[in-house]
């Protein structure tokens, strides 16, 4: 099963990226000549995703205009201008656009550089609907650029996850997943986090993870941009860029 639809979480305020985000939404911040949003959409296109739902809230017209010329995947806008809904609230609002089959979710403010087979392809191959409600893409601390707040999950031999509570033996949620939409049955409307669904899946023994191969990059503040660009281009990072690589932006895990 390869998901043909995806949810791209792009509605955040990007407060820690100020002053850049005073005038543009964080997903349009450029790293090595490509917006954060396009890094994610390009990965979805390469994985064969036909339709990507992008939610918008802050400076939405800029994102809508940016994706208007994109040929693949087809972009469908989920408008949250009336109120920011957080990660799970945004997904619940977009469910009529996502369909009834499992779909990808990705964060629009992190991205990755694959080594070997694309991570989203590997995620689809690892998906097992009989055992899983959610399958997270994970990475280790050594492969992360811009992360400094510890790990998120410990992984059992069969791939099942539990919270790591920062244990250095754990892995980081890398901002991409496959989710079965049935988990949102009877979900409340309004703002709430995907974390609650991670915890429910852990309790049911149905949260699993797959470790990606390559570099995972998060850009939390303007100072973190040089380290991110150095990771993409392979150019040596300056001392300031190496320092900024330890700055981390909040993620949902």
């Amino acid at each position: 099963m390869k998901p043909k639809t995806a949810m791209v979480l792009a509605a955040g305020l990007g407060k820690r990226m100020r002053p850049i985000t005073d005038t543009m939404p964080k997903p349009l911040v450029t790293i090595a000549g490509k917006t954060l949003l396009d890094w994610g959409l390009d990965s979805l296109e390469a994985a064969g995703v036909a339709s990507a739902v992008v939610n918008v809230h802050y400076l939405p017209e800029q994102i809508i205009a940016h994706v208007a010329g994109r040929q693949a995947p087809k972009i469908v806008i989920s408008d949250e201008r009336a109120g920011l809904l957080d990660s799970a609230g945004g997904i619940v609002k977009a469910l009529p656009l996502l369909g009834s089959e499992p779909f990808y979710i990705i964060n629009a403010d992190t991205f990755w550089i694959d080594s070997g087979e694309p991570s989203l392809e590997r995620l689809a191959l690892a998906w097992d609907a009989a055992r899983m409600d959610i399958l997270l893409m994970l990475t280790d601390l050594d492969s992360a650029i811009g992360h400094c707040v510890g790990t998120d999950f410990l992984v059992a031999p069969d791939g099942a996850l539990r919270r790591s509570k920062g244990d250095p033996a754990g892995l980081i949620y890398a901002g991409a997943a496959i989710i079965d939409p049935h988990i949102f049955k009877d979900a409340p409307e309004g703002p709430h986090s995907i974390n609650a669904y991670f915890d429910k899946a852990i309790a049911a023994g149905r949260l699993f993870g797959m470790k990606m191969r390559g570099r995972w990059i998060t850009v939390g503040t303007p100072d973190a941009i040089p380290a991110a660009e150095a990771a993409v281009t392979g150019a040596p990072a300056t001392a300031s860029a190496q320092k900024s690589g330890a700055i981390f932006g909040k993620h949902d895990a």
Side-chain angles (χ1 to χ4, degrees):
M1 192 286 301
K2 288 181 63 175
K4 294 300 182 184
T5 59
M7 178 79 198
V8 183
L9 299 173
L13 299 175
K15 292 181 178 179
R16 296 183 67 241
M17 283 297 291
R18 291 174 176 166
I20 295 173
T21 50
D22 287 340
T23 56
M24 73 164 62
K26 185 177 179 182
L28 297 188
V29 171
T30 298
I31 302 295
K34 186 189 297 189
T35 68
L36 291 168
L37 179 58
D38 283 315
W39 280 105
L41 290 172
D42 285 353
S43 293
L44 293 172
E45 180 182 4
V49 169
S51 175
V53 179
V54 179
N55 65 345
V56 297
H57 171 77
Y58 177 63
L59 300 176
E61 296 83 2
Q62 292 187 35
I63 292 177
I64 293 168
H66 180 79
V67 300
R70 189 170 183 107
Q71 299 301 309
K74 176 186 176 183
I75 305 298
V76 181
I77 297 295
S78 180
D79 195 326
E80 295 181 19
R81 274 177 273 204
L84 194 60
L85 295 174
D86 205 343
S87 50
I91 294 170
V92 170
K93 177 179 171 60
L95 284 175
L97 305 172
L98 291 164
S100 60
E101 298 298 320
F103 54 85
Y104 289 114
I105 64 167
I106 65 169
N107 292 340
D109 59 356
T110 64
F111 67 101
W112 59 93
I113 306 298
D114 286 316
S115 176
E117 187 177 6
S119 292
L120 294 184
E121 296 273 2
R122 293 182 57 235
L123 204 66
L125 288 171
W127 173 256
D128 181 352
R131 294 191 302 146
M132 303 173 183
D133 287 337
I134 306 172
L135 176 63
L136 303 182
M137 189 173 82
L138 306 170
T139 192
D140 58 43
L141 289 168
D142 290 340
S143 301
I145 303 294
H147 181 94
C148 70
V149 294
T151 64
D152 299 310
F153 298 102
L154 292 171
V155 186
D158 66 351
L161 302 182
R162 59 187 174 91
R163 294 286 183 177
S164 69
K165 301 179 181 178
D167 186 329
L171 297 177
I172 305 160
Y173 171 47
I178 295 175
I179 289 186
D180 190 320
H182 88 269
I183 68 170
F184 299 107
K185 185 179 183 294
D186 301 322
E189 296 182 358
H192 61 294
S193 172
I194 194 68
N195 267 302
Y197 298 88
F198 292 171
D199 290 333
K200 287 179 183 177
I202 289 172
R206 295 183 63 84
L207 183 71
F208 284 76
M210 182 214 74
K211 184 179 176 183
M212 63 165 289
R213 301 168 185 151
R215 306 303 300 272
W216 178 69
I217 301 165
T218 180
V219 186
T221 68
D223 288 345
I225 292 174
E229 294 197 325
V232 171
T233 64
T238 64
S240 61
Q242 290 168 345
K243 181 179 179 181
S244 71
I247 299 172
F248 173 65
K250 178 184 176 184
H251 73 304
D252 250 313

